[in-house]
Amino acid sequence: MTKPVFRTLAVAAALAATAALVAVPASATVTRAQVVPVTANPDGLAAPGAASLRPGVATFQVSTSDQAGREVGLVRLQPGAELNVLLQNLATVLFNNDLEAKKQAGAVVYRDSVLLGGVVLQSRAAQSFSVWLNPGTYYLVDYRSLAGPAAAYQQITVQGRRSTAIPWPDHVVVQYENAEGAPRFLAPQAIAPHSKLLIINRTSQMADSLFLPVRPGTTDEDITKFFAGQAAPPFIGGPQGALPAFSGYSQVLHVDLAPGRYVLLSFVGDRTTGASGAARGMHTIVDVR
């Protein structure tokens, strides 16, 4: 498909979500936005406003004082799945260097859960993400805590009247697969430091969307050479962006990025080979200005 076609599909998806909200009877809805402040640090996860939310869009505004950064995501369990089993396997996917162990743990994650996205953030600025919540139980999880002795998470119960407040995006990012089945990004070439990005996963697997600052003048070809082992690392800072969401799901990432040149890429490994999206060509240069 051409880029204009993908842009049309992405915008149509956003409009369809809005139309679905409009179709809900007014007596069954409320319009106040649901914004939940979240603090993630090595000593725990604090989200006091997240214990009970209404169906509809919720925005999680995550901050940290941890100089190493944090990763906070939203998870829904499949019927019959156990949270502790899921978290153990997520830990293996994230922190075990054994490729076969990662693949086996990843299969459990796909079987037992739906990952709905989240944020990777540094201590310099809060990052937010917005997702659609149906009635049910969810878990806000600090992924970094899974490397330690105790997982940090907050259970969320979603019930009551539907909220119709939605964040309208500034740009659309589509994660898709080309004719050869390789994952790619369709993304704007430039965004403002404070932007809302509707990220839509149209691949067949989960995918993340991370911004890494790179040296001025870095090109997409330079990124390809790096992942092929033919060039030195072009990165000049840590990642920020969106945690993985499953195929068919979307999230709105509210970025707060310093001006400069970034590469937007996915580190999630292929379910069969374990190779990262970026190593298979899922990267593109984005200027923040």
Side-chain angles (χ1 to χ4, degrees):
M1 289 187 182
T2 65
K3 286 189 176 182
V5 172
F6 268 114
R7 290 193 182 96
T8 300
L9 290 175
V11 173
L15 292 175
T18 304
L21 291 175
V22 173
V24 178
S27 60
T29 67
V30 291
T31 57
R32 181 167 54 87
Q34 301 188 102
V35 180
V36 181
V38 181
T39 303
N41 287 310
D43 60 353
L45 178 74
S52 180
L53 294 173
R54 300 184 303 277
V57 175
T59 296
F60 299 90
Q61 188 175 52
V62 188
S63 61
T64 184
S65 60
D66 185 358
Q67 295 300 309
R70 307 302 288 186
E71 302 174 7
V72 177
L74 194 67
V75 176
R76 189 179 77 230
L77 290 178
Q78 296 286 17
E82 298 181 10
L83 179 63
N84 64 325
V85 173
L86 171 65
L87 297 182
Q88 289 168 7
N89 282 278
L90 267 176
T92 299
V93 170
L94 294 170
F95 303 111
N96 193 319
N97 292 324
D98 182 88
L99 180 57
E100 194 57 38
K102 282 179 175 286
K103 288 163 61 177
Q104 293 178 10
V108 175
V109 173
Y110 276 104
R111 181 196 70 194
D112 285 1
S113 71
V114 176
L115 302 188
L116 297 168
V119 289
V120 177
L121 71 154
Q122 304 297 319
S123 59
R124 63 162 294 275
Q127 306 286 334
S128 302
F129 70 105
S130 301
V131 294
W132 177 269
L133 302 178
N134 289 316
T137 300
Y138 299 79
Y139 297 91
L140 194 65
V141 180
D142 181 346
Y143 284 20
R144 291 282 179 92
S145 73
L146 302 181
Y153 63 87
Q154 166 77 57
Q155 180 174 315
I156 301 171
T157 300
V158 177
Q159 60 186 353
R161 291 192 298 164
R162 189 179 305 275
S163 170
T164 61
I166 60 172
W168 194 255
D170 302 306
H171 302 281
V172 176
V173 174
V174 181
Q175 303 160 326
Y176 71 100
E177 292 167 352
N178 64 16
E180 290 74 39
R184 295 289 186 268
F185 280 112
L186 176 64
Q189 295 180 338
I191 63 173
H194 303 278
S195 296
K196 297 183 181 71
L197 307 177
L198 172 61
I199 302 173
I200 304 172
N201 186 353
R202 295 301 186 213
T203 73
S204 58
Q205 304 185 42
M206 70 172 97
D208 55 352
S209 299
L210 299 179
F211 289 89
L212 271 76
V214 294
R215 292 188 297 269
T218 298
T219 66
D220 208 46
E221 183 179 357
D222 294 330
I223 304 299
T224 298
K225 289 181 178 178
F226 165 73
F227 282 104
Q230 301 171 355
F235 314 116
I236 56 175
Q240 298 178 80
L243 283 171
F246 272 19
S247 174
Y249 288 84
S250 62
Q251 59 183 311
V252 175
L253 175 68
H254 309 234
V255 298
D256 187 336
L257 298 170
R261 174 155 281 205
Y262 291 78
V263 58
L264 174 64
L265 51 73
S266 173
F267 279 129
V268 171
D270 180 80
R271 295 179 68 172
T272 302
T273 67
S276 72
R280 292 179 291 140
M282 195 172 185
H283 53 74
T284 188
I285 294 295
V286 178
D287 288 310
V288 176
R289 56 190 183 215

